[in-house]
Amino acid sequence: MTPGDLVDVPGKQTELALRNPRLPHITQGFIELRLLVSRLVQDSHNRLQGMIGLLAEGGRSDGDKKARIIEHMLERRKQFIKLLVLTMWAKNAPAVSEVIDLKVFLDTRQEIFHKVVWNLYEVRRKMSYARIPNPDLDTAVRVLSTGRANTAMTRRYVPPKKLTSRETLKILRDLNTLLSLRLALHEKLPPYFRDYTIASGRATFTVADEFEADLCIGDGDPTSQLYLVDFRFIFKPSAKTLPAGRIRDEVESRGNIILKQKGLEGIYDYLHEFVMTDKICTLFRQFQMMLSGRWTENLVVDMRKRTLVVQYWSGRVTEGATKSWIEVGIKRGTGGRPSHVGVRWIRDGKTVQDQEVPLDVAVLSAESLIKTVIAMHTKHILTLIRGRLAHSPVFPLSAMVLTTHPTDSFNSSLKLQLTPSRPIKFLIEPITGRFALHPPTMVSTQVELSMNNSPTGTEDLIIRLKFILTQEEVETRARSMGWEVLKMLNIRREELKGFFPNSTKYISYLRRKGWGKEWVVAMVLADTGQTWWVAKVHEAPSQWSMSMALEIPVHGEANATYSFLGNLEKMSSAMITLFVNQSMLVEKGVQHKLQPSKVADPKLVIPDLYIRFSSLIHANWGIDVLRLTFQGLGAEGKCIVTVLGRTKEPMTQLGSTNISAADSDVSFHPQSGSYAIRFNINVGESVIEPLIEKLHRIERLIRFVAVIRRFNLPCLDVSLGRIAFTYDTESNSSAEVSFSGDREMKLHLPPRSPHIRIKGFLEHKLNVSGLETVVMALTVTLPLLLAFEKIEAAIGDKSDGHIFVLSRSVDWFRVYYRRLGVVLDWQLQCRKSVLHWFVRDAVSSNSESEGEIVGGEGRRKADELKGIWSGEVEGDWEPLKSGAAARLREVGALAWKIHELIYAGQGAMP
């Protein structure tokens, strides 16, 4: 009411005007319609995107996808219908707001009415105690007649006198003495009540980790009842004392009744059971609080009488899977021990008998209890997985490290070395029980999802992850080292069963650059382990096919490190080389066999190929065993193959000549007769044909050196393809023979060699009769040819005609003095078992045939030489009437003497 409410009108009576109160306007909780529409649209868009992403995942049927779409549409339809209703109500927003204001006002008034009624009821209830009691006539008569009142009645009105400190202390000491005597002499203490103290007129009994109880006596009679004075919990968390109220009154009254009926044994049992029940209830309350935190939806807590049942990892249980839980209850005492709060563990639907779950009864912690159980379960799972993986050849024990923690499963893990560079930790999330792989990758995330959807096949999924990562790492490292990864090489699995294990999961085909396209290395990942193979493939019109596969022996770890891939290239190249050469020997029918290498590398087990020498080249100059060994890889990935052999006799005839030069592929040891042939070939090539050719060259070399030594000629140079020697030291005349397997041999002479005029004949002799004949020819023709050179050098260009020497064979020369018309024939013949050079006048021997030769008209008899023919001209030769004969050493003197006589007869000497 305001001053304006009182209206004073002149001449009229004053009136009081009452106006309706203004209703409070309510705006709290109001949301603008446009904001509601915007949020609903955004939420619909987000849910639509989520549904599209969910449908894009594989493994869902078309029916499931359609059901998801219909469910989404129905749910959105409901929301938009609600929005439509709100929109229609929004058209009458002012009227609706007024109705809301009125409703709030009426509710407020109704609450005020209820409070008034309740206050009146409370006043009536409290006034019932404000009555004056009826007069006590009996007490009044007794006081008036005797002058004193009843003591019991007096205490109700007259307070007793306060005790002094001395009196209080004396009473307490008396009580302590009485309690000590009674407990020591008259009471039978239970075994669990032996720990007690007496002080302040009460006996305090302590039960470890449970409670303390204060007992007192009412009088000095040993048979009188003991009274429960106080009771305290001594475990945590708990109240220090029972709060005043119904529970405390119940415990004290019930305890005193039990003390009267059953004594100390009964009060212990009662309080012990009460404390154990309270402990279980405390754990129950703690679990209930955990449900409102991070453990929500992962624990199922249920209280069944005095047994607390807690199921953990509830979100991990899938269809058909077993559950795991714990039961916290009271276990019966055994072996003199009282009953106690204990835990029974049911793991995967089976009670665990061989493990006891530790429970700290002094400090109760539901979270510590469930963490301890989960840590034990985690250890069990990790140990089980490790044991199963250890039985698989895929995972050696050295590749698995198990780490466990007794109370925190987050610190428990199984570390797996999947590849040399990719270790991974297998973890179990403590709260949800879901498997986790760390560090996460795209592949491990998919495997982790599969593990959590089906926890029974965990070991197979881990092996699958190892195979995938191994394949990926091997291919990556192989590419960096120059290998080709053949992704397009697909061979039917039915065909592969004849070569690889039946449990093969993954195959990677690799080929080294420089190899033929028919050779590949296959990495096979199977349940039996990781194996490596050398395979020969062929490209068919429709697809590839495999004709051969050899397993590569791998010793030690098969991790695809760079060192391992390097050794793999050596091993595979060696196996291909040995297989190709072995196939060639089989084709040729040559006896052979493979045996372990004498010089074994622990990382490379490469056998040696032993070949029967006589079966290969059908010769008998060498020991009947050849050993073919793989020596490694050279430049550009070529194979270095060495063939070792030994001759039947030492090759001391070679002397100290350096046969194995730096660029040579053959080495000799003359004293032992051993030799080594080195080949540098591409992978997949055979050395059998080149080996046969080189063995023939060695055979020739041995023969040639023997010839040179037989003639005591110094060797200038000896190699597998040529031999150079000096056949006359005085004139420093040398020759060189080159040879290559079964090809024709070549004779090489210095440009100023006297034998250059008969090189063709000598080379023919070399290929027909051998080096021995050529050496002999060089030796016997040298004096005569030197004489011819001397004569040609003496004539020079001073005369108008030149001497012409015609070589008709190695042992027949014709000397034609063109200007003088003299023709002489020099022939090598044997006279009395001694070689002689015979010289004859060609015209005297056959004048008719010489005259018929074109250009032979001017030829005449050499009359100037009659003195030699007849013996008038003496010398180291023998006259033969129409010729003369001289030994090898004297033939030069004879030729020069004839030359002098021919020119002297013409009156001129050059």
Side-chain angles (χ1 to χ4, degrees):
M1 182 181 299
T2 63
D5 294 336
L6 298 175
V7 182
D8 187 7
V9 181
K12 293 185 179 181
Q13 186 178 1
T14 302
E15 296 180 354
L16 181 61
L18 297 177
R19 297 180 180 179
N20 294 330
R22 185 183 300 275
L23 296 178
H25 184 58
I26 304 300
T27 59
Q28 184 179 3
F30 281 23
I31 300 175
E32 295 183 2
L33 182 62
R34 61 182 180 85
L35 180 60
L36 184 62
V37 173
S38 175
R39 288 184 178 179
L40 181 59
V41 171
Q42 183 64 38
D43 181 65
S44 300
H45 180 265
N46 294 339
R47 289 177 181 271
L48 180 61
Q49 282 187 331
M51 185 193 68
I52 293 173
L54 188 63
L55 295 179
E57 296 180 0
R60 296 184 180 273
S61 62
D62 292 340
D64 188 15
K65 293 180 180 179
K66 292 178 181 178
R68 290 270 184 179
I69 295 173
I70 294 173
E71 182 182 352
H72 173 76
M73 294 175 63
L74 291 175
E75 194 271 337
R76 290 292 95 191
R77 181 175 179 271
K78 292 179 182 179
Q79 296 297 327
F80 278 99
I81 289 174
K82 294 178 181 179
L83 180 62
L84 176 61
V85 174
L86 291 175
T87 305
M88 295 175 65
W89 278 99
K91 295 178 180 179
N92 300 321
V96 173
S97 179
E98 289 180 0
V99 171
I100 293 174
D101 295 343
L102 181 59
K103 177 67 168 59
V104 172
F105 175 75
L106 294 176
D107 290 343
T108 304
R109 289 295 181 265
Q110 185 179 12
E111 185 179 358
I112 292 173
F113 296 155
H114 290 165
K115 285 184 177 180
V116 170
V117 173
W118 176 257
N119 290 335
L120 291 174
Y121 175 77
E122 282 293 314
V123 170
R124 178 181 175 277
R125 185 179 65 83
K126 292 180 179 179
M127 290 298 292
S128 62
Y129 299 103
R131 296 182 303 174
I132 298 175
N134 295 327
D136 188 1
L137 298 179
D138 293 338
T139 303
V141 171
R142 186 177 295 106
V143 171
L144 292 175
S145 60
T146 62
R148 65 175 61 170
N150 188 8
T151 304
M153 298 300 295
T154 305
R155 289 176 182 173
R156 296 175 57 185
Y157 303 100
V158 180
K161 293 181 181 180
K162 291 185 178 181
L163 296 176
T164 63
S165 299
R166 186 182 300 276
E167 292 174 340
T168 303
L169 182 60
K170 181 178 182 303
I171 293 173
L172 292 177
R173 286 177 177 174
D174 293 341
L175 289 175
N176 292 342
T177 303
L178 292 174
L179 283 172
S180 300
L181 293 174
R182 181 167 179 173
L183 295 178
L185 301 176
H186 304 286
E187 293 290 339
K188 183 180 179 182
L189 298 178
Y192 322 113
F193 262 7
R194 299 294 174 89
D195 182 11
Y196 66 90
T197 59
I198 299 175
S200 302
R202 63 182 66 182
T204 302
F205 292 90
T206 302
V207 179
D209 301 331
E210 291 191 10
F211 63 89
E212 287 182 350
D214 294 341
L215 302 182
C216 188
I217 55 176
D219 54 38
D221 187 0
T223 61
S224 64
Q225 177 187 350
L226 290 171
Y227 293 94
L228 178 63
V229 178
D230 196 7
F231 171 77
R232 296 176 300 277
F233 296 113
I234 59 173
F235 64 89
K236 297 179 181 179
S238 62
K240 293 184 178 180
T241 59
L242 285 177
R246 186 176 63 86
I247 297 179
R248 183 180 182 88
D249 296 342
E250 176 68 21
V251 171
E252 289 184 357
S253 61
R254 182 67 178 167
N256 289 324
I257 293 174
I258 293 175
L259 278 171
K260 183 177 180 180
Q261 296 176 351
K262 299 181 180 180
L264 293 178
E265 187 76 29
I267 194 62
Y268 168 78
D269 293 338
Y270 171 69
L271 295 178
H272 176 61
E273 293 290 330
F274 176 73
V275 170
M276 289 191 297
T277 303
D278 187 73
K279 286 184 176 181
I280 295 173
C281 293
T282 300
L283 290 174
F284 175 71
R285 289 192 299 270
Q286 291 179 352
F287 277 117
Q288 290 291 339
M289 294 177 62
M290 291 171 60
L291 289 177
S292 61
R294 58 177 181 165
W295 291 85
T296 183
E297 298 183 358
N298 292 288
L299 292 178
V300 177
V301 182
D302 187 20
M303 192 73 171
R304 300 175 184 176
K305 296 184 180 180
R306 286 203 302 173
T307 301
L308 174 61
V309 181
V310 181
Q311 178 190 346
Y312 58 93
W313 292 351
S314 58
R316 183 172 177 260
V317 178
T318 57
E319 184 178 356
T322 55
K323 301 179 182 180
S324 299
W325 68 91
I326 59 173
E327 296 177 355
V328 182
I330 299 175
K331 287 190 174 182
R332 189 176 301 172
T334 57
R337 294 181 55 193
S339 58
H340 60 279
V341 178
V343 181
R344 185 171 68 167
W345 182 21
I346 293 85
R347 183 183 63 206
D348 298 329
K350 297 180 180 179
T351 303
V352 179
Q353 303 288 353
D354 56 345
Q355 285 182 288
E356 184 176 354
V357 178
L359 175 63
D360 189 357
V361 294
V363 181
L364 295 177
S365 174
E367 188 169 6
S368 297
L369 173 61
I370 199 66
K371 281 186 174 181
T372 301
V373 174
I374 290 175
M376 295 172 66
H377 199 161
T378 300
K379 179 181 179 181
H380 168 74
I381 294 175
L382 296 180
T383 304
L384 195 64
I385 292 175
R386 180 175 179 268
R388 291 174 181 172
L389 290 177
H391 286 87
S392 172
V394 177
F395 276 101
L397 285 175
S398 58
M400 297 183 291
V401 178
L402 177 61
T403 304
T404 59
H405 194 276
T407 58
D408 190 359
S409 63
F410 193 77
N411 294 325
S412 299
S413 64
L414 179 60
K415 185 177 180 181
L416 304 171
Q417 192 71 34
L418 300 181
T419 68
S421 63
R422 293 187 181 180
I424 197 167
K425 278 188 177 182
F426 183 84
L427 307 169
I428 299 178
E429 207 282 324
I431 296 178
T432 62
R434 296 176 64 86
F435 297 129
L437 299 175
H438 182 78
T441 61
M442 183 180 297
V443 179
S444 65
T445 302
Q446 296 176 355
V447 174
E448 181 181 316
L449 181 62
S450 301
M451 287 180 181
N452 292 314
N453 291 336
S454 178
T456 54
T458 306
E459 298 81 12
D460 296 335
L461 291 172
I462 292 176
I463 293 175
R464 175 189 169 193
L465 176 62
K466 175 180 173 62
F467 286 167
I468 293 174
L469 295 180
T470 299
Q471 188 179 32
E472 179 182 336
E473 182 165 301
V474 168
E475 292 177 357
T476 302
R477 293 191 174 184
R479 287 191 184 96
S480 66
M481 294 184 67
W483 291 79
E484 299 178 38
V485 180
L486 308 176
K487 289 291 188 181
M488 302 303 294
L489 199 154
N490 295 321
I491 303 175
R492 292 184 298 109
R493 298 193 69 87
E494 292 76 12
E495 185 177 348
L496 294 177
K497 289 181 180 179
F499 302 101
F500 302 145
N502 294 329
S503 60
T504 298
K505 305 297 183 185
Y506 299 92
I507 301 177
S508 291
Y509 296 102
L510 309 175
R511 181 188 292 135
R512 197 73 170 88
K513 291 182 180 179
W515 289 12
K517 67 177 183 179
E518 71 276 8
W519 294 106
V520 297
V521 171
M523 180 188 68
V524 178
L525 301 173
D527 292 340
T528 55
Q530 176 182 350
T531 54
W532 294 84
W533 300 73
V534 169
K536 190 174 185 180
V537 297
H538 303 280
E539 187 175 7
S542 58
Q543 62 181 7
W544 290 82
S545 62
M546 185 176 294
S547 60
M548 182 276 297
L550 298 174
E551 184 176 359
I552 301 175
V554 177
H555 294 268
E557 295 292 338
N559 293 328
T561 60
Y562 290 106
S563 175
F564 175 82
L565 290 176
N567 291 332
L568 178 67
E569 181 184 359
K570 296 179 184 178
M571 195 72 187
S572 56
S573 301
M575 294 186 66
I576 294 172
T577 301
L578 292 175
F579 176 80
V580 170
N581 287 283
Q582 195 174 8
S583 301
M584 182 64 71
L585 293 174
V586 172
E587 182 180 343
K588 289 181 173 292
V590 178
Q591 299 179 12
H592 65 279
K593 65 177 179 179
L594 289 171
Q595 286 189 351
S597 176
K598 294 182 179 179
V599 183
D601 188 341
K603 295 183 179 179
L604 300 175
V605 183
I606 302 175
D608 293 339
L609 179 61
Y610 287 82
I611 306 171
R612 189 171 292 279
F613 176 82
S614 59
S615 178
L616 182 64
I617 64 169
H618 305 288
N620 61 355
W621 55 269
I623 298 297
D624 209 15
V625 175
L626 294 174
R627 182 161 63 97
L628 188 149
T629 62
F630 179 82
Q631 298 295 324
L633 297 174
E636 300 179 357
K638 291 191 174 184
C639 298
I640 301 175
V641 178
T642 302
V643 178
L644 304 176
R646 189 160 60 91
T647 59
K648 290 184 177 179
E649 297 180 359
M651 294 184 291
T652 53
Q653 65 270 24
L654 299 180
S656 60
T657 306
N658 183 17
I659 301 177
S660 55
D663 58 347
S664 176
D665 54 1
V666 179
S667 301
F668 289 93
H669 189 266
Q671 286 74 19
S672 63
S674 300
Y675 58 89
I677 307 174
R678 186 175 182 268
F679 297 94
N680 195 1
I681 59 173
N682 292 323
V683 176
E685 291 184 359
S686 173
V687 300
I688 300 303
E689 292 296 342
L691 174 62
I692 294 175
E693 189 266 341
K694 289 186 181 294
L695 290 175
H696 286 304
R697 290 168 65 180
I698 293 175
E699 183 180 5
R700 281 186 176 180
L701 177 64
I702 295 174
R703 289 202 311 266
F704 288 174
V705 173
V707 171
I708 299 301
R709 294 300 300 270
R710 193 180 309 134
F711 284 94
N712 293 324
L713 302 178
C715 284
L716 301 178
D717 188 16
V718 179
S719 68
L720 194 59
R722 69 188 188 94
I723 181 170
F725 56 90
T726 301
Y727 54 88
D728 185 71
T729 56
E730 294 182 1
S731 61
N732 196 23
S733 299
S734 62
E736 179 182 319
V737 178
S738 62
F739 49 91
S740 176
D742 294 332
R743 299 177 184 177
E744 289 188 355
M745 295 177 284
K746 299 291 183 181
L747 178 65
H748 303 279
L749 298 172
R752 302 183 64 84
S753 173
H755 287 89
I756 199 72
R757 65 180 76 243
I758 61 171
K759 178 183 176 184
F761 296 112
L762 292 172
E763 202 168 77
H764 177 72
K765 287 282 187 182
L766 178 65
N767 288 286
V768 173
S769 303
L771 182 62
E772 184 175 2
T773 303
V774 173
V775 172
M776 186 177 294
L778 290 171
T779 305
V780 299
T781 58
L782 179 62
L784 182 60
L785 293 177
L786 289 175
F788 290 161
E789 284 191 348
K790 182 179 179 182
I791 293 171
E792 290 175 340
I795 294 176
D797 295 331
K798 296 180 180 180
S799 60
D800 55 355
H802 298 283
I803 184 173
F804 181 72
V805 180
L806 175 64
S807 302
R808 293 195 168 186
S809 67
V810 176
D811 54 358
W812 184 8
F813 300 93
R814 170 165 285 192
V815 181
Y816 180 29
Y817 291 89
R818 185 175 300 175
R819 183 172 64 83
L820 304 178
V822 176
V823 180
L824 301 176
D825 285 333
W826 291 84
Q827 289 181 314
L828 182 65
Q829 295 179 358
C830 187
R831 176 184 174 87
K832 297 179 182 179
S833 300
V834 179
L835 288 175
H836 289 73
W837 279 104
F838 288 83
V839 56
R840 294 182 178 88
D841 186 357
V843 177
S844 299
S845 303
N846 196 355
S847 58
E848 296 181 358
S849 60
E850 292 295 332
E852 295 176 356
I853 297 176
V854 179
E857 296 81 2
R859 295 182 180 180
R860 63 180 181 83
K861 293 183 179 180
D863 296 330
E864 300 89 340
L865 303 178
K866 289 182 179 180
I868 294 178
W869 308 152
S870 61
E872 294 178 359
V873 178
E874 297 181 355
D876 294 332
W877 54 79
E878 297 180 11
L880 299 175
K881 294 184 180 181
S882 60
R887 295 188 178 185
L888 300 180
R889 292 185 177 276
E890 290 80 16
V891 67
L894 176 60
W896 179 254
K897 189 63 178 179
I898 291 174
H899 174 66
E900 289 179 344
L901 293 176
I902 291 175
Y903 271 86
Q906 299 297 324
M909 275 295 293

